[in-house]
Amino acid sequence: MTKPIYIINGPNLNLLGQREPDIYGSQTLTDIQALCRDAAGKRDIVFSQHNSEGAMIDQIHEARTYGSALLINPAAYTHTSVALLDAIKTLDIPVIEIHLSNPAARETFRTLSYVAMGATGTVSGFGAQSYLLGLQAAINLL
Ligand code: DQA
């Protein structure tokens, strides 16, 4: 049986649709989850959202054991978390960093991504489509 693709979402992404829609769009995380499930076809998706760093790390460890690939939108922890970087560096499956917005075109503090240093690649700036492009990339790599 093929292992599922894990999609992990970080803090405040539970508020998508209400949160700064001019930047993050009007789709909710539930909408994005449905789009990902459709695009994944027969592949299983384990989709989750966590507001704390420790919970994200626990889920990364789960992906390490049970996942075939990991898509991760680390949200604000992108720019601060060596712990998330260390966690994804323990994985030997494709790790795709996802952002709805293009952090490189925003505030200076968003231009640094710790997670990018351990990711296979990054997709950012395409709104909900970033997830679908990332998913396609992951599937192509499997
Ligand atoms: C984000 C970009 C981050 O800088 C920000 O903190 C987020 C969302 C994005 O998807 O564009 O919460 O990861």
PDB file of all heavy atoms in Angstrom, residues 68-71 91-96 120 137-138 141-142:
ATOM      1  N   SER A  68       4.903   9.395   2.449  1.00  0.00           N
ATOM      2  CA  SER A  68       5.717   9.228   1.234  1.00  0.00           C
ATOM      3  C   SER A  68       6.303  10.571   0.804  1.00  0.00           C
ATOM      4  O   SER A  68       7.287  10.614   0.054  1.00  0.00           O
ATOM      5  CB  SER A  68       4.862   8.665   0.097  1.00  0.00           C
ATOM      6  OG  SER A  68       3.769   9.522  -0.161  1.00  0.00           O
ATOM      7  N   ALA A  69       5.681  11.670   1.240  1.00  0.00           N
ATOM      8  CA  ALA A  69       6.162  13.021   0.940  1.00  0.00           C
ATOM      9  C   ALA A  69       5.514  13.954   1.951  1.00  0.00           C
ATOM     10  O   ALA A  69       4.495  13.612   2.564  1.00  0.00           O
ATOM     11  CB  ALA A  69       5.776  13.439  -0.474  1.00  0.00           C
ATOM     12  N   LEU A  70       6.127  15.115   2.099  1.00  0.00           N
ATOM     13  CA  LEU A  70       5.585  16.116   3.040  1.00  0.00           C
ATOM     14  C   LEU A  70       5.487  17.466   2.344  1.00  0.00           C
ATOM     15  O   LEU A  70       6.466  17.949   1.769  1.00  0.00           O
ATOM     16  CB  LEU A  70       6.502  16.234   4.263  1.00  0.00           C
ATOM     17  CG  LEU A  70       6.231  17.407   5.216  1.00  0.00           C
ATOM     18  CD1 LEU A  70       4.862  17.280   5.870  1.00  0.00           C
ATOM     19  CD2 LEU A  70       7.318  17.503   6.283  1.00  0.00           C
ATOM     20  N   LEU A  71       4.291  18.043   2.391  1.00  0.00           N
ATOM     21  CA  LEU A  71       4.107  19.456   2.039  1.00  0.00           C
ATOM     22  C   LEU A  71       3.929  20.194   3.348  1.00  0.00           C
ATOM     23  O   LEU A  71       3.145  19.748   4.206  1.00  0.00           O
ATOM     24  CB  LEU A  71       2.833  19.647   1.209  1.00  0.00           C
ATOM     25  CG  LEU A  71       2.954  19.621  -0.318  1.00  0.00           C
ATOM     26  CD1 LEU A  71       3.450  18.274  -0.793  1.00  0.00           C
ATOM     27  CD2 LEU A  71       1.618  19.951  -0.951  1.00  0.00           C
ATOM     28  N   LEU A  91      14.032  13.712   7.710  1.00  0.00           N
ATOM     29  CA  LEU A  91      13.205  12.969   6.752  1.00  0.00           C
ATOM     30  C   LEU A  91      14.023  12.615   5.513  1.00  0.00           C
ATOM     31  O   LEU A  91      14.830  13.439   5.056  1.00  0.00           O
ATOM     32  CB  LEU A  91      11.995  13.823   6.335  1.00  0.00           C
ATOM     33  CG  LEU A  91      10.743  13.744   7.216  1.00  0.00           C
ATOM     34  CD1 LEU A  91      11.017  14.156   8.633  1.00  0.00           C
ATOM     35  CD2 LEU A  91       9.625  14.581   6.622  1.00  0.00           C
ATOM     36  N   ASP A  92      13.769  11.424   4.962  1.00  0.00           N
ATOM     37  CA  ASP A  92      14.407  11.138   3.681  1.00  0.00           C
ATOM     38  C   ASP A  92      13.356  10.957   2.582  1.00  0.00           C
ATOM     39  O   ASP A  92      13.514  10.165   1.668  1.00  0.00           O
ATOM     40  CB  ASP A  92      15.382   9.959   3.782  1.00  0.00           C
ATOM     41  CG  ASP A  92      14.719   8.722   4.338  1.00  0.00           C
ATOM     42  OD1 ASP A  92      13.473   8.721   4.413  1.00  0.00           O
ATOM     43  OD2 ASP A  92      15.432   7.762   4.677  1.00  0.00           O
ATOM     44  N   ILE A  93      12.278  11.719   2.697  1.00  0.00           N
ATOM     45  CA  ILE A  93      11.224  11.779   1.671  1.00  0.00           C
ATOM     46  C   ILE A  93      11.202  13.219   1.145  1.00  0.00           C
ATOM     47  O   ILE A  93      11.743  14.115   1.811  1.00  0.00           O
ATOM     48  CB  ILE A  93       9.845  11.396   2.258  1.00  0.00           C
ATOM     49  CG1 ILE A  93       9.490  12.302   3.463  1.00  0.00           C
ATOM     50  CG2 ILE A  93       9.826   9.928   2.666  1.00  0.00           C
ATOM     51  CD1 ILE A  93       8.086  12.059   4.039  1.00  0.00           C
ATOM     52  N   PRO A  94      10.595  13.473  -0.037  1.00  0.00           N
ATOM     53  CA  PRO A  94      10.525  14.857  -0.531  1.00  0.00           C
ATOM     54  C   PRO A  94       9.789  15.766   0.462  1.00  0.00           C
ATOM     55  O   PRO A  94       8.753  15.382   1.017  1.00  0.00           O
ATOM     56  CB  PRO A  94       9.733  14.739  -1.835  1.00  0.00           C
ATOM     57  CG  PRO A  94       9.893  13.317  -2.267  1.00  0.00           C
ATOM     58  CD  PRO A  94      10.017  12.514  -1.006  1.00  0.00           C
ATOM     59  N   VAL A  95      10.356  16.942   0.680  1.00  0.00           N
ATOM     60  CA  VAL A  95       9.733  17.946   1.563  1.00  0.00           C
ATOM     61  C   VAL A  95       9.557  19.218   0.740  1.00  0.00           C
ATOM     62  O   VAL A  95      10.537  19.796   0.257  1.00  0.00           O
ATOM     63  CB  VAL A  95      10.621  18.246   2.792  1.00  0.00           C
ATOM     64  CG1 VAL A  95       9.992  19.356   3.644  1.00  0.00           C
ATOM     65  CG2 VAL A  95      10.836  16.994   3.635  1.00  0.00           C
ATOM     66  N   ILE A  96       8.298  19.626   0.557  1.00  0.00           N
ATOM     67  CA  ILE A  96       8.014  20.809  -0.257  1.00  0.00           C
ATOM     68  C   ILE A  96       7.464  21.893   0.662  1.00  0.00           C
ATOM     69  O   ILE A  96       6.440  21.694   1.324  1.00  0.00           O
ATOM     70  CB  ILE A  96       6.951  20.508  -1.355  1.00  0.00           C
ATOM     71  CG1 ILE A  96       7.142  19.123  -1.973  1.00  0.00           C
ATOM     72  CG2 ILE A  96       6.907  21.624  -2.378  1.00  0.00           C
ATOM     73  CD1 ILE A  96       8.118  18.960  -3.045  1.00  0.00           C
ATOM     74  N   THR A 120      13.179  20.151  -0.116  1.00  0.00           N
ATOM     75  CA  THR A 120      13.542  19.779  -1.485  1.00  0.00           C
ATOM     76  C   THR A 120      13.317  20.971  -2.398  1.00  0.00           C
ATOM     77  O   THR A 120      14.103  21.233  -3.309  1.00  0.00           O
ATOM     78  CB  THR A 120      12.645  18.599  -1.946  1.00  0.00           C
ATOM     79  OG1 THR A 120      12.650  17.590  -0.928  1.00  0.00           O
ATOM     80  CG2 THR A 120      13.120  18.014  -3.258  1.00  0.00           C
ATOM     81  N   ALA A 137       4.405  18.480  -7.704  1.00  0.00           N
ATOM     82  CA  ALA A 137       5.857  18.278  -7.616  1.00  0.00           C
ATOM     83  C   ALA A 137       6.165  17.038  -6.774  1.00  0.00           C
ATOM     84  O   ALA A 137       7.010  16.207  -7.151  1.00  0.00           O
ATOM     85  CB  ALA A 137       6.524  19.512  -7.016  1.00  0.00           C
ATOM     86  N   ALA A 138       5.472  16.909  -5.644  1.00  0.00           N
ATOM     87  CA  ALA A 138       5.717  15.757  -4.771  1.00  0.00           C
ATOM     88  C   ALA A 138       5.382  14.454  -5.498  1.00  0.00           C
ATOM     89  O   ALA A 138       6.161  13.497  -5.470  1.00  0.00           O
ATOM     90  CB  ALA A 138       4.880  15.886  -3.498  1.00  0.00           C
ATOM     91  N   LEU A 141       7.892  13.429  -7.956  1.00  0.00           N
ATOM     92  CA  LEU A 141       9.133  12.937  -7.354  1.00  0.00           C
ATOM     93  C   LEU A 141       8.995  11.514  -6.809  1.00  0.00           C
ATOM     94  O   LEU A 141      10.001  10.856  -6.524  1.00  0.00           O
ATOM     95  CB  LEU A 141       9.568  13.870  -6.206  1.00  0.00           C
ATOM     96  CG  LEU A 141      10.107  15.238  -6.626  1.00  0.00           C
ATOM     97  CD1 LEU A 141      10.215  16.166  -5.408  1.00  0.00           C
ATOM     98  CD2 LEU A 141      11.459  15.118  -7.309  1.00  0.00           C
ATOM     99  N   LEU A 142       7.744  11.044  -6.652  1.00  0.00           N
ATOM    100  CA  LEU A 142       7.559   9.713  -6.029  1.00  0.00           C
ATOM    101  C   LEU A 142       7.718   8.587  -7.050  1.00  0.00           C
ATOM    102  O   LEU A 142       7.520   8.779  -8.224  1.00  0.00           O
ATOM    103  CB  LEU A 142       6.190   9.646  -5.358  1.00  0.00           C
ATOM    104  CG  LEU A 142       6.000  10.595  -4.167  1.00  0.00           C
ATOM    105  CD1 LEU A 142       4.590  10.484  -3.611  1.00  0.00           C
ATOM    106  CD2 LEU A 142       7.020  10.300  -3.091  1.00  0.00           C
TER     107      LEU A 142
END
